[in-house]
Structure formats: structure tokens, C-alpha cells
């Protein structure tokens, strides 16, 4: 599969395999620039090898998810805070 | 927004195809009954998974075209991509009575509910109309009269998805305007727009920025970026503009 810039919406299915919440309204604070965005408003790149979620302001990699051989690898080095509303 | 139960981790379930309806030469609507459907909001999508005899699996995301009011019936409108792994099967092979594996609804960001109000600006590129149609159908089903404009970009007149239904909605509901632009071919006598979406077109069609429309843009990535950047240039509040891009790995 080719690289393809999408929105955080596109990563929602993958993230909701891991987190038991609706994740497009979860807020991420970027370690790069400090801005906070909902995941639905981030940029997502879907590769054959995995999903990359980037900050829409400074392009820092927020989250990388790889699902292979029966396990998930979740690299969240770009996320200072992940805030999940359980009421929305 | 109303309180919802936790959606939980996504699980795959089976829907049964109850009707299929060609929309254009390249798109088809597929209506499923999903027995354990938990309900959805207009704008959400599902993941569809196909499994080959050898176990190979392919997943794609498709926007839901039907309004929440039709649950547990769920309609997807799928555009056939000739080199796609999933869409040729869905548009050419799938038959009434077949089962389809899906999970959802997914997403809470790119959604509109009648009580969110407006004015509502919808900007569609090609099959990007699909989740926006769910919003228009929800608006009609909810009896709403939120002032709404749809700017719909298609390649040609024959490529306008939901053309007849859009005409009917304009006639039968109040406060709805639909503007088409045909980018590649126009029928004789066409007096509408006949170019790709640009800032000038949005300036003419979009609500003015001081009316603070709630905007949803869906289409291929370059289309969405042009539309969103144009609106921001025109002074629209980026926080009121929601986008959904699609492409080869997310055939929306």
C-alpha cells in the first residue's frame, strides 16, 4: 500500500482496537509544539506497515501503531498527554 | 451532547445484504441489516473486512450513507476502484443475502446531529458526498430546518451521486441549497460551475465567515486541502471546519 495522508478519523478503527473508547475525540498534546488537538483533527498516514498520527500544527509524530504477528506496538513518544473523555 | 455508553473495543460482526442500488456507473449503495447495531451518528464510518479462502484479509473504511433513523439498516455507498482489493468485490460480486463482516460505527469527530445547528456548509468531492448525505438524510428525517448548503463537485453530470434524491430534498425541504460543479464534462446547456473547486467558488457559495457556518468537507486529500485552505483564507474559523480525507487505503 502506498503512503496516504488522511485524517485522524482514519486511524480511529485501529486505535479503538486497543483503547475501549471513541478515540477521534480524545485530545493529544504534542511534545513538539505543545498544542492540543482532538485525534480526529490530526493527520494520519496509513502505510502497509502501520499507522502514523502526526501533529497537524508542527508535523511531529504523535503516535505510531503497528499490528503484526498477533501483537500491537504502540509508540507514543510524541504525546505529552492523552486525554480521553468517557462521556462524549 | 447526550451521554453515551462506552463503545468498548471494536468487534467484528456480520451484516446481511438486503438491497443493492447502483448510484452511478462507478458507485453502488449496499444496504445491510446489522442485528447488533448500536446506532450511529451521521458522518461516522465502518470498517469492512474481506477474508479470502487462503486466510488473507483486507480491510477498508467506508462512510455510512444512511441516517441513524434507519437503524438497524445501514447503507454504505462504495466507489469501485479498478485496482482496489475490496471495492470491486463489494460493487460487482456482493449479492442480496450475502453476509459481510464489518465493525463500527467508528468516529465521533466528523459527525453532525440536528441539535448541533448551523448554518451547515457541506463540501463534497466525488464519493466524499457519502457521509455528508447521511447528514442531509438525518436533517430531513429529524424534520430539521437548519440552513444548509451543499457544494458538490463531480466529474460529470452522470457521475453525480444521489442526483435525483438531492433534487427531491431541495424541493421537499426548506432552507437547503445544492450547488453542483462538474469538473470534466458538462451536459449541453449546463449553466452551473464547470471547474475544480477554488477560493472564488467558495466565496460565492459558502456562508460568509461572520455567519460562522459549521463546515464539513469530505473528498480526496487534495480536494479537502484546497477547500479547507480556501475557507480559512476567506476568514472562516478553522475550529468550525471538519475534514475527512480519503484515498486508496481508505476508500471512503
Amino acid at each position: 500500500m502506498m503512503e496516504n495522508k488522511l485524517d485522524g478519523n482514519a486511524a480511529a478503527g485501529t486505535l479503538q482496537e486497543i483503547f475501549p473508547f471513541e478515540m477521534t475525540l480524545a485530545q493529544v498534546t504534542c511534545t513538539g509544539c505543545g498544542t492540543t488537538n482532538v485525534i480526529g483533527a490530526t493527520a494520519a498516514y496509513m502505510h502497509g506497515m502501520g499507522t502514523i498520527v502526526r501533529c497537524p500544527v508542527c508535523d511531529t509524530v504523535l503516535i505510531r501503531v503497528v499490528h503484526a504477528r498477533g501483537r500491537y506496538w504502540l509508540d507514543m513518544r510524541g504525546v505529552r498527554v492523552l486525554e480521553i473523555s468517557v462521556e462524549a | 451532547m447526550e451521554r453515551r455508553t462506552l463503545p468498548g473495543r471494536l468487534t467484528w460482526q456480520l451484516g446481511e445484504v438486503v438491497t443493492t442500488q447502483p448510484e452511478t456507473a462507478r458507485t453502488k449503495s449496499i444496504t445491510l441489516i446489522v442485528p447488533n447495531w448500536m446506532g450511529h451518528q451521521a458522518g461516522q464510518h465502518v470498517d469492512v473486512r474481506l477474508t479470502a479462502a487462503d486466510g488473507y484479509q483486507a480491510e477498508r473504511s467506508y462512510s455510512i450513507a444512511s441516517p441513524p433513523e434507519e437503524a438497524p439498516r445501514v447503507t454504505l455507498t462504495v466507489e469501485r476502484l479498478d485496482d482496489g482489493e475490496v471495492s470491486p468485490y463489494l460493487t460487482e460480486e456482493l449479492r442480496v443475502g450475502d453476509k459481510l463482516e464489518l465493525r463500527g460505527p467508528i468516529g465521533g469527530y466528523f459527525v453532525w446531529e440536528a441539535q448541533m445547528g448551523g448554518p451547515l456548509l457541506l463540501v463534497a468531492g466525488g464519493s466524499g458526498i457519502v457521509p455528508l448525505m447521511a447528514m442531509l438524510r438525518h436533517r430531513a428525517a429529524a424534520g430539521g430546518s437548519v440552513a444548509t448548503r451543499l457544494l458538490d463537485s463531480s466529474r460529470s453530470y452522470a457521475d453525480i451521486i444521489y442526483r435525483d434524491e438531492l433534487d427531491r430534498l431541495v424541493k421537499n425541504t426548506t432552507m437547503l441549497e445544492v450547488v453542483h460543479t462538474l469538473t470534466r464534462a458538462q451536459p449541453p446547456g449546463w449553466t452551473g460551475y464547470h471547474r475544480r473547486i477554488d477560493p472564488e467558488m467558495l466565496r460565492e457559495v459558502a456562508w460568509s465567515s461572520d455567519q460562522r457556518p459549521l463546515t464539513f468537507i469530505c473528498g480526496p486529500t487534495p480536494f479537502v486541502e484546497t477547500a479547507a485552505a480556501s475557507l480559512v483564507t476567506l476568514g472562516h474559523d478553522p475550529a468550525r471546519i471538519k475534514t475527512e480525507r480519503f484515498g486508496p487505503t481508505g476508500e471512503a
Side-chain angles (χ1 to χ4, degrees), chain B residues 13 34 70 74 86 107 137 140 169 177 191 226 228 238:
Chain B
Q13 52 185 319
V34 187
E70 290 179 10
V74 177
V86 174
R137 287 167 167 168
L169 281 172
E177 296 169 73
T191 56
T226 299

Side-chain angles (χ1 to χ4, degrees), chain B residues 100-127:
Chain B
L100 190 63
E101 202 175 16
L102 76 162
R103 65 180 184 185
I106 300 170
Y109 172 71
F110 192 85
V111 301
W112 182 76
E113 294 188 311
Q115 69 264 26
M116 291 165 72
L120 184 61
L121 176 63
L122 308 176
V123 185
S127 59

Side-chain angles (χ1 to χ4, degrees), chain A residues 1-2 4-7 9-10 12-14 16-22 24-25 38 40-42 46 86-88, chain B residues 2-4 6-10 45 47 59 103 106-110 221 225 243-250:
Chain A
M1 280 187 271
M2 57 191 285
N4 187 24
K5 182 185 178 188
L6 300 171
D7 309 271
N9 300 317
T14 298
Q16 210 176 319
E17 290 171 17
I18 301 168
F19 297 94
F21 303 102
E22 197 295 291
T24 59
L25 291 174
V38 295
T42 61
M46 316 294 282
V86 297
E87 293 190 357
Chain B
E2 73 195 79
R3 183 179 286 244
R4 290 174 198 286
L6 291 184
R9 287 187 188 84
L10 285 171
H45 66 272
D47 288 345
E59 277 175 39
R103 65 180 184 185
I106 300 170
Y109 172 71
F110 192 85
T221 298
E225 299 197 340
T243 62
E244 182 156 279
R245 297 162 171 85
F246 64 77
T249 64

